[in-house]
Amino acid sequence: MDKESNKPPISDRVVRKTLGERLVEEKLITPEQLVSAMALQQQQGGRLGDILIKQELVKPEQLAVVLSIHLNLPLIDLKRHVVQSRALRLIPEEMARRHAVIPLDIVNDSLMVVMADPEDISTIEDIKAQSKMRVEVALGVQSDIERAIDLNYRSSGAIEKQVSQYAPAPEIKTDDLAQTAARTPIAETLDLLVAQAVKDRASDIHIEPQEDRLRIRYRIDGILHDMFSFPLNIHAPLLSRVKILSEMDISEQRRPQDGQFSIKISGKEVDIRTATMETPYGERATLRILDRTLALFTLAELGFQPDVLKKYQSLLKSPYGMILVGGPTGSGKTTTLYASVNELDRNELNIMTIEDPIEYSFMDINQTQVNAKAGLTFAGGLRAIMRHDPNVILVGEIRDKETVTTAVQAALTGHLVLSSIHANDAVGVLFRLMDLDAEPASISSTLIAIVAQRMVRRICTRCRAPHQLNEEEQQAVKSEMAPTVPTFYHGTGCNLCAGTGYRGRTGIFEFLVMSENIRKMLRDRASASEIKAQAVSEGMLTMKQDGIRKAKEGITSVSEVIRNVFAIN
């Protein structure tokens, strides 16, 4: 029999299409674009898909779908899958990053891994050798894999390794602390703690000695999380390392100190503001992370309601007067002030600041930092600025009578003054100014507007789901809006938000414009409740109302609004 007769008819044969042919068939690229990309592949090497993505002919997600069909492999959405720690321990972070692979789970005695290039046989063999297990491969989008590596691989192992390598004598003399703190394990431990905090989007690191351990906590999205627990024998050298870098007095352990240092994390310069204070179990330290490489927020990104934003932006164009941002520590006042300054014309205006500290460096703006040792205070810096022909002055914080008096004088003499002040709400700012001995007549003639704010956590967009309100939440909603309760949401927890249900924060605002009626009530010494009622009647949205509105829109949860603003009277 002729050999050719043993072959199935052409119509019955399965001819495997190339990836390029599938992309053309799906009408993601044209035949001409495929020919051009293949010619480039022959010249430069590499994967066809990477070339098409680089040329912006296909999106990574589109390529992954087609590649999944082409290779007959499952496509894993890493934003919705939980990476299991038992799988994560089998592949070191360095290998995962080098090959763009994330171990997902152990299924039927096989290690399931998600790869950007599942045809990379040599990498699969390396994973088998490293894990000593059979390997099942799934496909993932490379950017998702890189994000999953950042979210799931922690510095815990490296930090614990450094801590275990350090075994000092039970007692160390103060004179020897500097040398001990400079030892590689201690120095490396601090570097890793900061690097992990930056990776976790933490704003603060708390180093807290307890009776039987050294507790390390990170503040992420406004909430403190226990991260590490170390033996007490590294407490003294670790604190000494912080002090040395911050140029503090290493021998002083009872008096509170503060300082600052910079560190490079993944090629980025990160500034750390430090403070130490004595506790019954030894000195504690708080490290505030100031990542100047982060993009500056615009006013539109802060969370203002559209009508409030438009009105606030128009008032920022005022030639003189005072605009204040009120709220407690950590409520985002500086962010709002920076976003406000960023809206102003830096070419036609002379904008000058006095800050403590300078958290973000602006182009074409003259910034000065408070220096208590040199006698430069907010009030003194403000007086000095007024001799330099400014149009706009940003004062980091109004905290005393002298600064209030100088700021009011600056506003009266033809300058626009922006500043922050500690107060519970918008009307509370007025009474806080009077507590600092500002005259009601002076306040009414200079103050243009007040922004009061809080920060609330955003619901993670990847795991947001409808939420049945409990009784407390229902009462909160009914007190601030019509009885009909719409659908509200919460986060169920996923990889992207590290199981918290929240990722990132937004602002909740009160915006009080100083109308003639409110100015008159202030001069007549009206009560806070009377002034607030007048402001609401003129259209002011309270923080509670703004918060419930954002919860209704699915931006935050009702429980977050209650936690942050319902304690305010």
Side-chain angles (χ1 to χ4, degrees):
M1 185 181 288
D2 185 33
K3 288 183 179 179
E4 205 53 44
S5 63
N6 288 330
K7 293 182 180 180
I10 294 292
S11 59
D12 294 338
R13 294 181 198 170
V14 176
V15 181
R16 190 185 181 202
K17 298 183 175 119
T18 66
L19 174 61
E21 288 170 339
R22 286 189 182 274
L23 290 167
V24 172
E25 187 179 79
E26 294 292 330
K27 297 182 180 179
L28 294 173
I29 59 173
T30 65
E32 293 76 19
Q33 289 171 332
L34 174 59
V35 171
S36 175
M38 290 176 69
L40 199 59
Q41 184 185 25
Q42 284 186 335
Q43 293 172 15
Q44 300 178 354
R47 295 189 298 167
L48 177 65
D50 292 339
I51 292 170
L52 293 169
I53 290 171
K54 190 173 182 180
Q55 292 182 325
E56 297 184 352
L57 296 175
V58 296
K59 294 180 179 178
E61 295 79 6
Q62 295 172 323
L63 179 67
V65 171
V66 174
L67 196 56
S68 170
I69 297 168
H70 178 63
L71 298 177
N72 193 28
L73 287 174
L75 176 61
I76 301 296
D77 181 358
L78 286 166
K79 299 183 187 75
R80 295 192 173 276
H81 283 75
V82 177
V83 174
Q84 300 298 320
S85 57
R86 58 182 180 174
L88 206 66
R89 285 193 291 265
L90 296 174
I91 305 298
E93 181 178 359
E94 185 275 331
M95 176 182 275
R97 289 192 184 279
R98 188 171 71 248
H99 297 299
V101 56
I102 184 82
L104 187 65
D105 202 356
I106 297 172
V107 182
N108 297 328
D109 296 324
S110 293
L111 176 62
M112 171 70 76
V113 296
V114 182
M115 300 178 65
D117 182 10
E119 293 182 296
D120 186 350
I121 303 302
S122 63
T123 294
I124 295 172
E125 292 302 319
D126 287 347
I127 293 170
K128 286 180 181 177
Q130 173 69 36
S131 64
K132 297 179 175 57
M133 295 187 72
R134 292 195 302 271
V135 173
E136 295 288 337
V137 177
L139 182 69
V141 177
Q142 179 149 344
S143 59
D144 288 350
I145 292 172
E146 290 169 353
R147 189 183 298 112
I149 290 170
D150 286 340
L151 287 169
N152 291 282
Y153 278 102
R154 305 188 54 78
S155 300
S156 308
I159 292 172
E160 288 165 4
K161 182 180 178 182
Q162 293 300 329
V163 171
S164 67
Q165 288 177 7
Y166 176 71
E171 291 186 9
I172 304 173
K173 295 179 181 179
T174 303
D175 295 342
D176 298 331
L177 276 173
Q179 184 179 354
T180 303
R183 290 181 188 173
T184 301
I186 290 298
E188 184 69 16
T189 297
L190 182 60
D191 290 351
L192 288 169
L193 284 173
V194 175
Q196 185 61 57
V198 170
K199 186 188 289 187
D200 288 345
R201 302 177 297 106
S203 60
D204 302 85
I205 303 171
H206 291 241
I207 302 174
E208 304 169 323
Q210 307 288 299
E211 185 176 5
D212 56 353
R213 64 173 177 139
L214 181 64
R215 179 170 68 166
I216 308 295
R217 295 196 289 173
Y218 291 170
R219 187 178 294 280
I220 303 170
D221 290 335
I223 303 295
L224 279 170
H225 300 268
D226 267 29
M227 306 305 290
F228 302 100
S229 183
F230 296 150
L232 280 173
N233 63 358
I234 75 157
H235 169 238
L238 187 61
L239 259 290
S240 296
R241 179 65 180 168
V242 170
K243 288 182 175 181
I244 290 165
L245 292 175
S246 307
E247 298 183 351
M248 297 180 186
D249 183 353
I250 193 172
S251 64
E252 178 59 68
Q253 298 180 15
R254 294 185 178 181
R255 180 173 56 86
Q257 298 185 72
D258 56 76
Q260 191 166 329
F261 67 92
S262 295
I263 186 172
K264 260 195 174 175
I265 304 295
S266 302
K268 298 189 305 181
E269 195 76 20
V270 177
D271 289 345
I272 310 292
R273 190 172 71 194
T274 57
T276 63
M277 188 174 186
E278 186 183 24
T279 76
Y281 300 110
E283 279 185 293
R284 61 160 289 145
T286 302
L287 283 62
R288 167 64 57 87
I289 298 169
L290 309 172
D291 188 351
R292 296 188 184 183
T293 64
L294 293 177
L296 190 68
F297 284 100
T298 65
L299 284 173
E301 295 171 327
L302 296 182
F304 283 106
Q305 297 293 345
D307 56 332
V308 172
L309 175 62
K310 187 176 179 181
K311 193 180 295 183
Y312 182 58
Q313 288 173 320
S314 68
L315 290 177
L316 278 175
K317 296 175 183 176
S318 301
Y320 56 86
M322 189 159 57
I323 297 175
L324 296 180
V325 181
T329 301
S331 60
K333 299 188 297 296
T334 301
T335 301
T336 299
L337 287 174
Y338 277 173
S340 302
V341 165
N342 206 34
E343 292 262 324
L344 302 174
D345 188 334
R346 305 175 205 178
N347 292 321
E348 295 187 2
L349 299 174
N350 178 18
I351 304 171
M352 303 187 72
T353 78
I354 177 73
E355 306 171 55
D356 183 24
I358 295 173
E359 296 188 16
Y360 188 94
S361 297
F362 289 89
M363 291 287 289
D364 303 321
I365 288 179
N366 302 287
Q367 295 173 270
T368 304
Q369 182 160 318
V370 166
N371 187 339
K373 292 179 181 177
L376 182 61
T377 62
F378 278 121
L382 181 52
R383 283 194 296 271
I385 284 172
M386 288 173 66
R387 293 191 285 271
H388 288 267
D389 186 32
N391 299 104
V392 180
I393 304 170
L394 187 153
V395 182
E397 184 182 341
I398 289 177
R399 58 174 70 151
D400 54 45
K401 177 182 178 180
E402 189 180 9
T403 308
V404 170
T405 303
T406 312
V408 167
Q409 189 62 35
L412 282 170
T413 53
H415 307 90
L416 178 63
V417 178
L418 308 176
S419 189
S420 71
I421 189 167
H422 286 274
N424 280 337
D425 57 9
V427 174
V429 169
L430 298 172
F431 287 84
R432 175 64 181 146
L433 289 171
M434 288 189 283
D435 287 343
L436 294 173
D437 288 342
E439 289 295 325
S442 299
I443 299 170
S444 66
S445 59
T446 57
L447 197 57
I448 301 170
I450 299 168
V451 177
Q453 65 182 74
R454 294 291 188 279
M455 298 293 285
V456 294
R457 291 180 292 173
R458 283 180 171 272
I459 296 173
C460 174
T461 55
R462 294 293 175 183
C463 62
R464 186 174 65 181
H467 170 59
Q468 184 66 43
L469 300 183
N470 60 34
E471 187 175 342
E472 181 189 13
E473 292 168 339
Q474 288 178 11
Q475 290 301 319
V477 169
K478 288 177 182 178
S479 69
E480 300 300 329
M481 64 184 294
T484 303
V485 179
T487 302
F488 288 92
Y489 298 87
H490 71 157
T492 57
C494 68
N495 264 5
L496 192 64
C497 61
T500 63
Y502 298 96
R503 184 169 174 82
R505 292 194 289 174
T506 190
I508 289 178
F509 299 95
E510 259 177 25
F511 184 54
L512 187 154
V513 178
M514 293 294 290
S515 66
E516 286 306 316
N517 285 332
I518 291 176
R519 294 180 197 277
K520 183 178 184 304
M521 291 177 74
L522 183 63
R523 290 193 296 268
D524 292 343
R525 305 272 184 170
S527 67
S529 58
E530 289 171 334
I531 295 175
K532 184 171 184 176
Q534 178 63 32
V536 170
S537 72
E538 293 178 5
M540 183 184 82
L541 200 66
T542 68
M543 276 187 281
K544 292 179 183 179
Q545 291 168 337
D546 191 32
I548 294 299
R549 182 179 290 189
K550 286 185 171 70
K552 181 181 176 182
E553 293 167 358
I555 296 170
T556 189
S557 66
V558 176
S559 61
E560 265 296 284
V561 178
I562 291 173
R563 185 176 69 85
N564 283 278
V565 299
F566 268 77
I568 303 170
N569 293 325

